[in-house]
Amino acid sequence: MPPPSHRPARVRRLPLAGVLRPNKPSDIWFKPASSVVVATAIPDLTLLALGRLDLVMYTMAGSFCALYTHHLPYAARARALAWVVAGMTASVAVALVAASLTGSAVVLVAVGAVLAALQKTLCDATRVGPPGHLIFTFISSATLFAPGTLGQVPAHLALTVAGGTVAWLVGMAPALVRPHGPERRATARALRAAAAYAETASAASAASAASADGAGPAAERARSAAAGAVHAAWQALLATGSRTAEARRALGRLVVRAEEAIAAPAAADPAALRAWAAKLRGTSAVPRPVGVRPGERDELLGVEAELAAPKVPLWRRVAPGSPLAPIALRTAVGCALAGYGSLALGVGRPYWALVTAASLYQANLTLTWSRGVQRVVGNLVGVLAFAALAPLAHLGHAELIVCCLALAFGAEALISRNYWMGSVCVTPMALLVTEFARFQQPGELILDRVVDTLVGAVLGVAAAVLVTNRRATDHIERALAATERATARAEADLAAGTGRTEPARRGLTAALVELRAAADAAAGEWWQRALPEQRVVAAERAGHRTLAATVRRSRENGRAARTREGTADALEGAPA
């Protein structure tokens, strides 16, 4: 009888320790920070010169699109950022039309809750990246409660499109200076992560005589992080487009080195990996590892084939039964409860409670709870910051614009360290945005914001508890099956002894990353079926062993190719 592979289901405690601890900032925090400042300043100053700052909310809807897609290569960014602008315009259009057709707050809260759920689902399905659905929900919810008529909708949408156009241009502008910047950064992250894993695995092996692949909790975490970084690097390279094939191959050689370090950490050189990563800064030539010969280019031909491979259509990712459905339901229920709770208390701005609830929902209940604590702390500190800034902002409209721009920059500079730290800047910025039409009493705004924050956080977390995510375990089963299929494919390629293993290796890496993400998400749910933890661990270890074998085979193929090239050169130079 086989040993049990499931841990009994139990109710998990919601943590408080470490929820507010600062993390390392994102290595590209300055890009969205500076982009949103430029994209917002241009239309704001234009409207200031025209004396129409009451229209700032509509241009700001488009300007905030500059926060997105900074992780994507420019060929992919051009398309993705255009879709972000289109999605923002569509969200504002729905909100404007709904607001012009009815003045019922009950109906508008319902519309806002449904919109928030759709925005959350689409942002997660497309993996658009931070800040995710939150900006869409913030803008559309605020627009729902802005006065307006149906005849004003086209002009207001035109302002949103204008702001979005500026944001698109700002987001694409760095391509003129550093056309391969995003994929160079992704490759550098993979190299640094591989170096960290090699060091961790070596330390674990020396300290506790761990298994040959560096097993152990710290090494396993480092290996998962390195595998995720390598997968992200390949995804970035696959998104670069056909015009950058040569640069893609040069960077691909370095990603192969990162894969080799993960496969054989004992033989890796962390110092060399980090040195290559450091040389990827700026616009200098991509470093070439010592000993690289033309025959090694064969290892990268699989990338070209993957560029033409069919992509999973969006409708499959959002179809009924997808793992996104429970989170979408949580978002809709939580936002509706928060909005109606705010209305019941007589607060004049229920969309703040709605946005607070929408901001909470993460991959599982544990992360949602942590985000709720961070949101409450950040907002409470943020209203104190607003009280200190309000006298300066009320000096004039120019001062108001400067304060908003400074807070937007500060929010992006801090939010990657911890969400609550970013909220300290987001909260006063959101309060100041309401004053572009007219200055208001700070005390009234602060009271409404505090009440709506508490209502939104409490009812939002309550909705996450009530709407259980039993599909999390199903998602693990699907990820397990995908990992087993990818492992079998890679092993079949190895057994065949012909052909290249690189496409199968990248497919297996992606499956392992997805499996780890599914397991982590399910582990944070509070009430569900037992998790197949032993099966997950076994599948991960088998997958990583197979990955190591494919890397060794690729190196053997590369050596064989170089030997053949050397033999051919010798024959050509031999006398007749």
Side-chain angles (χ1 to χ4, degrees):
M1 181 176 180
S5 61
H6 289 69
R7 179 178 50 77
R10 63 185 177 88
V11 176
R12 291 180 173 271
R13 294 181 179 179
L14 297 178
L16 280 175
V19 170
L20 303 179
R21 183 182 300 121
N23 304 307
K24 290 183 178 179
S26 165
D27 59 348
I28 59 169
W29 67 266
F30 56 92
K31 290 188 172 293
S34 57
S35 295
V36 75
V37 169
V38 175
T40 304
I42 292 173
D44 281 5
L45 295 176
T46 301
L47 291 174
L48 176 64
L50 296 174
R52 291 304 309 269
L53 280 179
D54 56 306
L55 300 175
V56 157
M57 183 173 66
Y58 305 108
T59 59
M60 190 173 288
S63 298
F64 277 7
C65 294
L67 293 169
Y68 291 87
T69 70
H70 289 278
H71 64 293
L72 292 177
Y74 292 108
R77 184 184 303 187
R79 298 187 297 272
L81 193 51
W83 279 111
V84 168
V85 174
M88 180 66 77
T89 304
S91 298
V92 173
V94 172
L96 287 174
V97 171
S100 63
L101 294 178
T102 180
S104 171
V106 173
V107 174
L108 294 177
V109 166
V111 172
V114 172
L115 267 179
L118 288 173
Q119 290 157 345
K120 171 68 174 172
T121 302
L122 290 174
C123 286
D124 286 356
T126 57
R127 297 178 180 177
V128 70
H133 69 293
L134 184 56
I135 298 298
F136 292 93
T137 303
F138 167 64
I139 295 294
S140 61
S141 299
T143 307
L144 276 171
F145 292 88
T149 63
L150 201 59
Q152 295 174 316
V153 171
H156 290 167
L157 284 180
L159 291 172
T160 298
V161 172
T165 301
V166 174
W168 189 93
L169 293 172
V170 170
M172 295 300 299
L176 300 174
V177 179
R178 198 167 181 240
H180 307 301
E183 53 265 40
R184 289 170 72 110
R185 284 191 296 272
T187 302
R189 289 189 203 105
L191 291 168
R192 288 194 295 267
Y197 168 61
E199 291 173 340
T200 304
S202 298
S205 179
S208 59
S211 61
D213 61 352
E220 290 289 351
R221 288 192 297 270
R223 182 167 62 182
S224 294
V230 165
H231 175 60
W234 282 124
Q235 291 300 107
L237 294 180
L238 289 169
T240 55
S242 58
R243 296 183 179 180
T244 58
E246 189 58 37
R248 182 169 64 243
R249 293 190 189 100
L251 292 169
R253 294 186 185 100
L254 295 176
V255 181
V256 168
R257 292 299 185 277
E259 286 183 320
E260 291 176 351
I262 297 173
D269 184 353
L273 295 171
R274 288 197 170 93
W276 291 333
K279 291 178 181 177
L280 289 175
R281 297 175 182 171
T283 58
S284 59
V286 175
R288 292 177 63 88
V290 176
V292 173
R293 296 287 303 276
E296 190 178 15
R297 290 180 297 181
D298 292 344
E299 295 186 14
L300 305 171
L301 293 180
V303 176
E304 312 303 326
E306 288 181 60
L307 284 172
K311 302 297 187 293
V312 178
L314 178 60
W315 66 266
R316 281 191 182 176
R317 285 175 265 170
V318 299
S322 78
L324 299 176
I327 306 300
L329 182 59
R330 280 180 177 175
T331 304
V333 172
C335 290
L337 287 177
Y340 292 135
S342 177
L343 287 176
L345 293 176
V347 179
R349 297 172 180 83
Y351 64 87
W352 281 349
L354 190 154
V355 173
T356 294
S359 70
L360 306 183
Y361 298 111
Q362 306 299 302
N364 55 47
L365 177 61
T366 301
L367 294 176
T368 298
W369 159 261
S370 299
R371 178 58 60 87
V373 174
Q374 294 163 356
R375 177 84 180 192
V376 169
V377 172
N379 279 16
L380 293 180
V381 177
V383 295
L384 298 178
F386 170 73
L389 283 173
L392 172 62
H394 288 177
L395 293 175
H397 287 126
E399 289 81 357
L400 178 60
I401 291 174
V402 170
C403 288
C404 286
L405 295 177
L407 290 168
F409 185 90
E412 291 306 311
L414 296 173
I415 205 163
S416 63
R417 295 188 64 86
N418 194 300
Y419 183 79
W420 78 267
M421 298 175 71
S423 294
V424 171
C425 292
V426 172
T427 297
M429 181 180 68
L431 293 170
L432 290 175
V433 167
T434 66
E435 302 200 299
F436 277 108
R438 62 180 180 85
F439 292 137
Q440 303 174 60
Q441 289 297 324
E444 179 184 349
L445 289 174
I446 289 173
L447 179 61
D448 284 355
R449 184 70 179 199
V450 170
V451 172
D452 276 340
T453 293
L454 297 176
V455 169
V458 170
L459 295 181
V461 172
V465 173
L466 294 174
V467 181
T468 57
N469 184 7
R470 293 301 184 95
R471 292 183 183 176
T473 307
D474 295 337
H475 187 34
I476 289 183
E477 296 291 347
R478 287 192 291 269
L480 274 169
T483 301
E484 290 165 357
R485 287 194 301 270
T487 302
R489 178 191 169 195
E491 290 175 348
D493 285 355
L494 287 169
T498 59
R500 298 181 178 86
T501 60
E502 287 75 23
R505 184 170 77 229
R506 281 186 283 275
L508 179 53
T509 300
L512 287 168
V513 170
E514 183 67 24
L515 176 59
R516 175 43 45 196
D520 288 344
E525 288 298 337
W526 78 284
W527 190 269
Q528 60 178 323
R529 301 193 304 276
L531 302 180
E533 290 184 342
Q534 292 185 21
R535 286 180 59 201
V536 170
V537 172
E540 286 184 318
R541 288 179 176 172
H544 283 294
R545 284 195 297 270
T546 302
L547 278 178
T550 62
V551 171
R552 288 192 294 270
R553 175 63 58 81
S554 293
R555 286 190 298 195
E556 291 169 2
N557 290 344
R559 284 194 294 268
R562 290 192 288 273
T563 300
R564 288 193 299 271
E565 290 172 3
T567 302
D569 292 342
L571 290 174
E572 289 177 4

